[in-house]
Amino acid sequence: VGLEVAHRCTVHSYVRGWKLLSEADVSPHTEDQVLAILVELLRTLTWLHGLPDPVVHGAIRPVNIVRRELDRRLVLLDFMGVRDAIRGGSPSPTPLDPGYNAPEQVLDWPASPATDLWALGALCVRLLSGRDPSELWDGTELRWQPHVFASADLLLLLSDLLQVDPSRRPSHASD
């Protein structure tokens, strides 16, 4: 199910393809593969976060990303919390997924674009290391560094995305 936001409604459609989780389970990805995924998802998040009423996905993880069969593009799924907020209610609680949920989500603080950027960093760790981020969460931070081998630039970006304090993360996907 994909989502378009227009005039405070959601439009869902069936997306034929396979979940990124199936790719993540095969073997760790190369840095080039992860960078391609990162760029594609950042484009989507830049659009979502740049709407007049910014949309925070809040549940970015491999199970909620499908590679569309038609064109091999990535599609974010599971916008149910967004749907509930648009209808005027409170967003549905997203089941906590240690490692992918930003620390502020665990503390039940408001989500922001920085929340999605944490999850994107955790996704990159999963794809590069082959390890589920929940295995690397120690209760206070994600201890990913010993498990990820990448260029200095990518390591610096991941370090920025995975700051525990959301005010120290990039504040928008376009940052």
Side-chain angles (χ1 to χ4, degrees):
V1 176
L3 168 78
E4 292 181 33
V5 178
H7 306 292
R8 312 219 19 107
C9 69
T10 59
V11 177
H12 298 266
S13 62
Y14 177 75
V15 178
R16 183 179 302 277
W18 56 93
K19 291 190 176 184
L20 190 61
L21 181 63
S22 63
E23 290 181 18
D25 285 342
V26 174
S27 66
H29 285 57
T30 67
E31 183 169 337
D32 286 343
Q33 290 170 320
V34 171
L35 286 172
I37 290 167
L38 183 62
V39 166
E40 189 168 349
L41 291 175
L42 280 170
R43 284 185 184 131
T44 301
L45 290 176
T46 296
W47 182 79
L48 289 170
H49 297 165
L51 291 170
D53 290 322
V55 173
V56 175
H57 185 277
I60 296 173
R61 52 188 59 106
V63 71
N64 289 337
I65 302 168
V66 166
R67 187 171 299 280
R68 193 170 34 212
E69 184 179 290
L70 177 67
D71 57 7
R72 305 293 194 254
R73 300 276 319 263
L74 297 174
V75 178
L76 285 174
L77 307 179
D78 190 9
F79 281 83
M80 300 314 279
V82 174
R83 179 208 60 200
D84 293 342
I86 287 171
R87 289 182 178 166
S90 297
S92 297
T94 300
L96 292 180
D97 190 343
Y100 291 106
N101 284 107
E104 61 270 20
Q105 285 178 292
V106 175
L107 296 170
D108 204 25
W109 293 354
S112 70
T115 305
D116 284 343
L117 296 177
W118 167 282
L120 193 56
L123 174 68
C124 291
V125 166
R126 170 70 171 89
L127 296 173
L128 287 164
S129 71
R131 306 270 312 263
D132 191 285
S134 64
E135 299 170 17
L136 308 176
W137 179 253
D138 72 358
T140 59
E141 66 180 298
L142 199 62
R143 301 222 179 256
W144 59 272
Q145 296 88 339
H147 307 283
V148 173
F149 302 97
S151 68
D153 287 342
L154 182 54
L155 292 174
L156 182 60
L157 175 61
L158 292 177
S159 181
D160 288 345
L161 294 175
L162 294 169
Q163 290 291 319
V164 172
D165 180 349
S167 70
R168 296 187 64 204
R169 279 181 235 139
S171 59
H172 190 279
S174 64
D175 292 349

